[in-house]
Amino acid sequence: MKFPRRQFLQLAAGAALLPAVSSAASAQSYPARPIRLIIGYTPGGSADMTARLMGQWLSERLGQSIVIENRPGGGTNIATEAALRAAPDGYTLLLVAPANAINATLYSKLNFNFLQEFEPIAGIIRFPNVVVVNPEVPVKTIPELIAYAKANPGKLNMASSGNGSTIHMSGELFKMLTGIDMLHVPYRGGAPALTDLLSGQVQVMFDNIPTCAEHVKSGKLRGLAVTSTTRSAVLPDLPTVADFLPGYEASAWYGLSAPKGTPPEIVATLNKAVNAILADPAAKARFAELGAILLPGSAADFGKLVADETDKWGKVVKFAGAKVD
């Protein structure tokens, strides 16, 4: 069948508009099915807890189930690559963590460039770390820790949840700014590191607040300072490391991202929902119990945070000489 030239051009123009119309309609009806939220950590930690809380609250606001998918391994790179390679349709999200910023320098070979391939959606929270020591260590303040470490180079063992983890990098940043020498002892997770700190096998740790606060309150560990720029409501008596080392800040932060190319309307829908949750009194109270600091803002704000953290921790990784192949 032959079409008149004018009719053919009209049909061709209409066909060219179909993808855009389809995309817009899809964004307007979003979400129409369950959303998958991938995290690169095992169940039970602060990342998993954050993902499950946000998943529950997002489900209530969006009217669709949020399925949490734990894909640990490879320093979160397995989960990250799975999320980045998913269709950019808003139905696969990633819980972004400091590992995504640290790994850019820590790993010499990655199958992706996170800063170029992720679509920032929204920040969620920060968890400060706490500088804790076994009570047998004869220090009670950050200046005393620095003085003791300088007088006893290499004598203090600094535990972490693994090479390149936020706990490790928090300690390396401290070493970089003070010039002290502490031996890094990496563990396969925060729990065994904390167990050895409690028993005195290691002496120092820059642990997350949610996992060590009760040990500090009970006196099983001695808290020296928190690593955020402001005091923590969970451990209000502790000063900040920045009180003694201006410019020091280290924390575990979390946010949401999607694969690059996710429609802006969908990003806007998710960003609006996350910010509404962070403004909700019940969510605020729950996060406050955990010692978390909220990170409301635009998708661009979160993208800048990730870029800034990538640059910051890249310098610390190079200072520490840390590498994972």
Side-chain angles (χ1 to χ4, degrees), residues 102 105-106 158 160 162-165 167-177 180-184 312-324:
I102 295 167
T105 308
L106 183 67
M158 181 186 75
S160 84
N163 196 27
S165 65
I167 293 174
H168 174 206
M169 289 294 106
S170 297
E172 293 295 346
L173 177 60
F174 186 79
K175 289 165 62 178
M176 187 172 78
L177 295 178
I180 64 173
D181 178 18
M182 294 190 292
L183 178 64
H184 174 225
K312 170 184 174 177
W313 293 118
K315 295 173 183 175
V316 179
V317 169
K318 290 176 182 176
F319 161 80
K323 278 293 178 185
V324 177

Side-chain angles (χ1 to χ4, degrees), residues 134 136-137 155-159 183 185 187 192-204 221:
N134 182 278
E136 294 299 316
V137 180
K155 184 176 180 179
L156 291 175
N157 292 324
M158 181 186 75
L183 178 64
V185 182
Y187 287 78
L194 187 60
T195 297
D196 275 6
L197 180 66
L198 288 164
S199 69
Q201 296 297 311
V202 290
Q203 292 78 45
V204 185
L221 293 176

Side-chain angles (χ1 to χ4, degrees), residues 34 74 92 106 111 141 170 186 219-221 224 249-250 253 282 325:
T92 299
L106 183 67
N111 295 326
T141 67
S170 297
K220 292 180 180 178
L221 293 176
L224 305 185
E249 188 280 331
W253 45 264
D325 294 318

